[in-house]
Amino acid sequence: MKPSPEPTSPVWHTLPVETVISQLASAPSGLTGAEAARRLIEFGPNELQGVRHVSPWTILFEQFKNVLIIILLVATILSAFLGHGIEAIAITIIVLFAVLLGFVQEYRAERAIEALRQMAAPTATALREGQEVEIPARDLVPGDVVMLRAGDKIPADARVIESINLQIEEAALTGESVPVEKQTAPLAELESALGDRKSMAYAGTAATYGRGRAIVVATGMKTEFGKIAQMLQTVESGKTLLQENLDKVGHTLARATLVVVAIIVAFGLLRGQPFVEMLVFGIALAVAVVPEALPAVVTISLAIGVQRMVKRHALVRRLPAVETLGRTSVICSDKTGTLTKDEMTVRKIFVADQLLDVSGTGYEPHGQFTRDGVVVEPFAAMKSLLEAGALASDARLVNDGSGNRWDIKGDPTEGALIVAAAKAGLDKGTIDQQFPRVNEIPFTSETKRMTTLHTRSQGTVAYSKGAPEIILDSCSRRLTEDGDTVLDAASREKILETARQMASEALRVLAVASKSDATLSSAEQDMTFLGLVGMIDPPRPEAKAAIQVCEQAGIRAVMITGDHPLTAQAVARELGLLKDGRVITGAELELLSEAEFEREAENIEVYARVSPAHKLRVVTALQKKGHIVAMTGDGVNDAPALKKADIGVAMGITGTDVTKEAAAMTLTDDNFASIVAAVEEGRGIFGNIKKYLMYLLSSNIGEIMLMAGATLLGLPLPLSAVQILYVNLATDGLPALTLSVDPPEPDLMQRKPREARVGIFTRPIIILMVVGGLWSALINLGLFTWARSTGRSDAEAMTMTFVSLVLIQFFKAYNFRSDRHSVLNQPFVNKWLNRAIVWELLLLILIIYVPFLQAPFGTFSMSLGDWAVIVGLAFTVSPVLELTKWIERRGWLGKVG
């Protein structure tokens, strides 16, 4: 086999096609499967360098970086040497369980993020042994021949070996937004700039027009794009605003807690308690109460939440975006493909002076033609119109193999013409073979038309499609049921009036014409007008429902489109998006000063005929009004607006790599409803983090107040080091974690968005946490004092206090499922919480009654009377918290968090 040149070699664009194929030891028909597999091993997968993976061992060792944990283990070992062996073993086991729990949480979170990195890889169409096959782009190797069509992303660096009007958008690589027309001829300049290498196609760019073939010369990190691009699937996890706030809260609480712990230990020593015993107790209390893991827990909750979002077709690449999603107040959405199906569908045709309706939606090739509700069978003039439209199109109708799902490869407008022809029994593949294309005049924004020339029995025939006024200007005759006739002024005006009428119904109107005995120079002169085709991209039914959800949630939906104002207005009204607001065009927007636009921005619901540059102005104006803005985009030029937006949303199907890199979130189905679903998930994740933190901090407040209160009152310590550590493990463990997966509250999407400056710890939330902690401390202090006064030993009183503290925190877990709604509102809907409480209760009973566990935990068997007293007292925390929430709902404590 001939050795390949170095993949990064600059010479490929200078070599003739035959030389390139020869040097790569390939063929125009592509590689064999066996050879491709061999080269895949030799060159490696066609993907950018992966991110560093975190090993499970690293995650495990991270758990021991907590200084308090290390000090506690050292003190425990010291305690064991001094004769407290059973207690030392119990503390060690509890600490190791806590470490294991932290490891499992973080390992699952890492796995969740890794799953996001492995999201659906792009595919490529390659020739293998002469057959077109769709393969994962990562499996491409040097020497593979790939098919390039309009809309395809270029999967690897390749030398163009066939170009039929092939144009490639290379802005992602070169910054040049104008598509480059490709050629097969070699270039003379050896060191020409990338943008000038017209015989090359580069990874990371996209075909925008025409079609062609290219042979792969470099893959993966050897590509030009590989040198500069970040990996598309990277999930960035910078610190969120919430994590930064919790860092501060955690440090403040830690300092305050350590001061209290030091005082408690000092008082114990003054009362003559053994030094090692007080040291172990003090450190155990600090470990249990200091909330050093708060930011880590938030990261884990966010990461697992992101994984849930993937199931709802939203891939979040930056964890801070999850937090911001919950505060989104405006969603600026593209129309095509996001609010609509992006499946252009022919609704009406005008042919032989007849206006016909066409049934069916999307790309499924089934439907009927009707006039005034009566089915019309395809007739000659209709077939001529639809056949011409299909022949003058490059798109292809494809099936997924099951016969159920149809799709289009190529331009959606051309796809609509091909589907309409199929409804009349005209198959695109068949007529292409019968009447092969021999030449074409490509569509340009200046000519607003496309013309193709085909060989037929009567000679070369030209077919043209484009804007009605443009096509009519080149026509001198028109087709009727009786054949073609002269196109007079009256007929011309009637056709234009019909086109205007169709356009007023938000239909995109194309005219189609033909010319017999055509040459390339005369093809667009003296043509015969065949008819008009009116099509529309139908709104997504789920988008309409999602917009209603937005209204209830206080989120404003805004449409931004490059389409005609009439079309945008009609679709917006059908979706319920346009009510009392304005429709403004890009040209009108240009005339507004910044101050005028900022005043009007709140009232504009539809932006039509806008460019990507206008999106940046829209985002800026809305942000200045205090809104949290989500902005969608798919083109390269959308990237600045997506970066400026609080939440940039890229399209996973139609979006370019550049927009996906700029965006915080990518929609895997390009669906507006998925944005709303992501906002709902964002609110739910934030709500669950709030529940977790309320419960955790309230429990910690109760524990530290209990120990501080006993010390100040001159009482013995109501809990041992083992008991306090177990309470921390039992309540901060499973029950707390289950709150992070609590079902969302039913009115979650009926609340106004959270204001940007409002965090978790609002005044009502703080009051609720303090009330819960204070009541817990009072109940347990009272119980401990009462138990000692009834003649029970300190150990028995400690056992009752220990059980009471655990039960109080179990009751609080249900109360803190909402900071505003009653605990009686679906109290047991969280099945994970129910199971966790049952499991922890079983463990608690074992600790109380199993003899070999009583010694390390310092517990005694309790009577039914003891249980009745404890359960009765513990339950009182629930009505106290409910009363606090009732007062909050009336606004007496400030705005509910």
Side-chain angles (χ1 to χ4, degrees):
M1 178 179 298
K2 296 179 182 179
S4 300
E6 174 62 29
T8 54
S9 167
V11 304
W12 294 114
H13 60 284
T14 66
L15 301 177
V17 169
E18 298 77 13
T19 306
V20 172
I21 293 174
S22 174
Q23 287 203 13
L24 289 168
S26 186
S29 59
L31 300 172
T32 64
E35 177 60 19
R38 190 196 66 77
R39 293 192 187 192
L40 186 60
I41 296 171
E42 179 185 350
F43 292 102
N46 175 37
E47 57 189 7
L48 301 183
Q49 190 172 344
V51 294
R52 183 180 62 85
H53 300 297
V54 181
S55 73
W57 287 110
T58 303
I59 297 172
L60 181 60
F61 290 138
E62 286 287 326
Q63 309 306 309
F64 289 95
K65 285 191 175 180
N66 182 350
V67 176
L68 290 173
I69 290 283
I70 296 171
I71 294 173
L72 179 59
L73 288 174
V74 171
T76 304
I77 293 169
L78 180 61
S79 175
F81 276 114
L82 295 176
H84 302 281
I86 295 176
E87 186 182 66
I89 291 169
I91 292 175
T92 303
I93 290 172
I94 291 172
V95 169
L96 291 178
F97 265 115
V99 166
L100 184 62
L101 183 63
F103 166 75
V104 170
Q105 292 175 51
E106 293 202 29
Y107 180 69
R108 286 186 61 202
E110 182 63 28
R111 290 287 300 274
I113 294 176
E114 183 59 30
L116 303 184
R117 293 187 184 119
Q118 300 301 324
M119 273 290 293
T123 60
T125 303
L127 277 180
R128 292 276 170 90
E129 300 176 44
Q131 298 296 314
E132 285 190 28
V133 291
E134 193 168 273
I135 61 173
R138 71 184 304 276
D139 291 344
L140 285 176
V141 295
D144 259 325
V145 175
V146 291
M147 310 299 293
L148 305 178
R149 298 183 178 90
D152 287 351
K153 291 180 177 61
I154 310 304
D157 285 4
R159 172 70 162 86
V160 178
I161 61 174
E162 180 185 63
S163 174
I164 302 174
N165 301 311
L166 179 63
Q167 294 181 18
I168 295 180
E169 170 81 71
E170 296 181 339
L173 189 63
T174 66
E176 177 56 59
S177 59
V178 178
V180 178
E181 189 162 347
K182 295 299 178 179
Q183 65 185 47
T184 58
L187 302 177
E189 299 84 2
L190 188 67
E191 299 294 339
S192 57
L194 293 179
D196 295 329
R197 298 181 186 177
K198 295 186 176 182
S199 59
M200 295 292 294
Y202 291 106
T205 62
T208 58
Y209 190 80
R211 60 189 189 278
R213 289 186 299 152
I215 186 166
V216 175
V217 298
T219 58
M221 296 305 291
K222 297 292 188 180
T223 64
E224 295 293 338
F225 198 75
K227 300 172 188 175
I228 61 171
Q230 294 288 331
M231 186 176 180
L232 176 60
Q233 286 84 8
T234 297
V235 179
E236 298 176 8
S237 51
K239 280 207 169 183
T240 72
L241 179 63
L242 178 59
Q243 284 172 290
E244 290 173 357
N245 290 339
L246 289 177
D247 272 334
K248 295 175 185 175
V249 171
H251 289 147
T252 302
L253 288 175
R255 285 192 291 269
T257 299
L258 290 174
V259 169
V260 174
V261 168
I263 293 171
I264 292 171
V265 171
F267 268 88
L269 292 174
L270 288 174
R271 287 203 303 265
Q273 297 280 3
F275 174 77
V276 172
E277 181 182 324
M278 288 310 300
L279 177 65
V280 171
F281 178 83
I283 297 171
L285 182 59
V287 168
V289 176
V290 172
E292 76 289 331
L294 289 188
V297 167
V298 171
T299 303
I300 293 162
S301 299
L302 292 174
I304 294 173
V306 165
Q307 194 178 35
R308 283 209 309 270
M309 284 187 179
V310 172
K311 296 176 182 175
R312 302 188 74 173
H313 308 292
L315 171 60
V316 176
R317 296 180 57 253
R318 300 183 179 101
L319 291 186
V322 178
E323 188 184 334
T324 311
L325 272 168
R327 295 188 282 117
T328 300
S329 57
V330 178
I331 301 175
C332 297
S333 174
D334 287 317
K335 176 182 73 69
T336 305
T338 309
L339 290 166
T340 61
K341 291 171 70 71
D342 196 20
E343 294 183 355
M344 290 296 286
T345 306
V346 173
R347 289 273 180 90
K348 292 180 183 292
I349 60 172
F350 177 71
V351 59
D353 294 323
Q354 300 179 55
L355 189 60
L356 305 174
D357 293 308
V358 186
S359 66
T361 59
Y363 295 141
E364 191 171 336
H366 305 298
Q368 294 180 317
F369 302 88
T370 59
R371 183 176 57 243
D372 300 326
V374 179
V375 175
V376 176
E377 292 299 322
F379 50 90
M382 182 200 298
K383 285 189 174 183
S384 295
L385 165 66
L386 297 174
E387 183 180 80
L391 286 170
S393 299
D394 287 327
R396 296 175 296 127
L397 181 63
V398 295
N399 184 262
D400 64 359
S402 66
N404 298 321
R405 177 163 176 74
W406 295 86
D407 201 2
I408 284 294
K409 292 288 187 182
D411 181 72
T413 300
E414 294 186 339
L417 294 173
I418 290 164
V419 172
K423 291 174 182 177
L426 299 168
D427 176 67
K428 165 71 171 169
T430 303
I431 59 176
D432 276 345
Q433 286 182 348
Q434 288 177 336
F435 316 117
R437 185 186 299 185
V438 292
N439 219 324
E440 65 182 75
I441 304 172
F443 174 89
T444 66
S445 56
E446 292 76 27
T447 62
K448 295 183 179 178
R449 70 189 300 166
M450 175 183 177
T451 303
T452 59
L453 284 78
H454 300 260
T455 301
R456 299 192 70 133
S457 57
Q458 64 267 42
T460 302
V461 179
Y463 296 108
S464 191
K465 68 178 192 303
E469 62 276 14
I470 301 295
I471 296 295
L472 272 175
D473 282 347
S474 64
C475 292
S476 58
R477 304 184 68 78
R478 67 186 179 95
L479 184 66
T480 68
E481 284 191 275
D482 301 322
D484 64 345
T485 185
V486 174
L487 178 63
D488 55 28
S491 298
R492 189 181 298 271
E493 183 53 38
K494 181 182 179 181
I495 292 167
L496 287 173
E497 179 57 34
T498 304
R500 285 191 288 269
Q501 177 192 334
M502 293 167 72
S504 70
E505 298 173 22
L507 295 176
R508 184 175 185 180
V509 185
L510 291 180
V512 182
S514 68
K515 177 182 173 66
S516 300
D517 299 321
T519 62
L520 195 62
S521 58
S522 68
E524 295 178 344
Q525 301 166 15
D526 294 321
M527 303 191 81
T528 299
F529 176 79
L530 300 179
L532 299 172
V533 179
M535 60 190 73
I536 193 170
D537 181 8
R540 291 179 181 266
E542 62 271 26
K544 187 171 184 177
I547 287 170
Q548 291 174 346
V549 172
C550 282
E551 283 185 25
Q552 296 170 355
I555 301 168
R556 196 156 67 89
V558 175
M559 177 191 289
I560 299 184
T561 179
D563 218 332
H564 193 280
L566 284 174
T567 305
Q569 187 172 331
V571 173
R573 287 202 187 281
E574 188 172 341
L575 286 167
L577 185 149
L578 179 62
K579 290 186 171 69
D580 306 320
R582 285 184 59 189
V583 178
I584 191 172
T585 65
E588 292 167 336
L589 183 57
E590 292 282 359
L591 299 175
L592 295 177
S593 68
E594 290 301 323
E596 289 172 330
F597 180 42
E598 284 175 29
R599 285 196 300 271
E600 290 293 323
E602 296 276 12
N603 304 317
I604 300 171
E605 293 178 333
V606 175
Y607 295 84
R609 283 285 192 252
V610 295
S611 68
H614 292 134
K615 287 188 173 184
L616 196 56
R617 279 193 74 186
V618 174
V619 171
T620 304
L622 289 170
Q623 286 177 330
K624 284 183 179 178
K625 303 293 280 187
H627 289 291
I628 302 297
V629 183
M631 170 69 78
T632 70
D634 55 6
V636 172
N637 293 335
D638 289 332
L642 296 192
K643 280 191 174 180
K644 175 67 175 170
D646 299 282
I647 295 287
V649 183
M651 301 295 107
I653 298 172
T654 60
T656 61
D657 289 355
V658 179
T659 51
K660 290 174 185 174
E661 195 63 40
M665 183 172 83
T666 298
L667 301 182
T668 58
D669 63 351
D670 291 11
N671 193 335
F672 178 82
S674 297
I675 305 175
V676 180
V679 170
E680 183 179 358
E681 285 287 348
R683 287 188 178 190
I685 290 166
F686 182 85
N688 286 351
I689 290 173
K690 181 168 67 175
K691 296 171 191 178
Y692 178 99
L693 294 176
M694 284 193 302
Y695 172 68
L696 182 70
L697 294 179
S698 179
S699 299
N700 288 358
I701 290 169
E703 292 163 19
I704 199 72
M705 280 186 169
L706 169 62
M707 308 310 292
T711 301
L712 292 174
L713 293 173
L715 296 171
L717 293 174
L719 296 172
S720 69
V722 176
Q723 288 170 346
I724 195 73
L725 282 172
Y726 181 80
V727 169
N728 178 60
L729 180 66
T731 59
D732 298 355
L734 289 178
L737 288 175
T738 58
L739 288 177
S740 67
V741 292
D742 199 52
E745 295 179 55
D747 64 342
L748 188 67
M749 291 300 281
Q750 293 166 11
R751 305 174 189 171
K752 300 298 179 188
R754 208 163 28 91
E755 294 178 19
R757 65 179 183 276
V758 177
I760 283 183
F761 300 109
T762 58
R763 188 166 64 178
I765 295 297
I766 293 171
I767 291 173
L768 197 62
M769 291 191 303
V770 171
V771 166
L774 181 60
W775 188 259
S776 171
L778 290 173
I779 290 295
N780 287 315
L781 270 175
L783 176 63
F784 184 65
T785 304
W786 172 81
R788 293 181 74 238
S789 70
T790 58
R792 290 176 171 85
S793 66
D794 284 354
E796 288 175 306
M798 288 171 71
T799 300
M800 294 180 74
T801 306
F802 168 62
V803 173
S804 171
L805 180 59
V806 171
L807 293 183
I808 283 175
Q809 305 202 120
F810 288 170
F811 282 121
K812 283 202 289 189
Y814 286 97
N815 286 99
F816 282 125
R817 285 192 56 246
S818 175
D819 60 300
R820 62 182 73 202
H821 296 305
S822 168
V823 70
L824 299 177
N825 183 16
Q826 296 183 309
F828 303 114
V829 72
N830 187 340
K831 62 181 182 180
W832 298 109
L833 176 60
N834 301 335
R835 292 168 183 172
I837 296 297
V838 170
W839 170 252
E840 295 293 350
L841 280 172
L842 289 173
L843 291 180
L844 182 64
I845 290 169
L846 292 175
I847 289 169
I848 300 300
Y849 292 107
V850 175
F852 74 84
L853 291 176
Q854 288 178 334
F857 283 95
T859 56
F860 285 80
S861 298
M862 297 193 314
S863 67
L864 284 176
D866 293 339
W867 277 105
V869 171
I870 292 169
V871 171
L873 288 173
F875 177 74
T876 60
V877 76
S878 197
V880 167
L881 288 172
E882 288 308 301
L883 177 62
T884 308
K885 285 195 271 187
W886 181 81
I887 294 171
E888 285 182 357
R889 287 197 293 270
R890 273 144 187 78
W892 298 346
L893 301 178
K895 191 173 180 181
V896 178

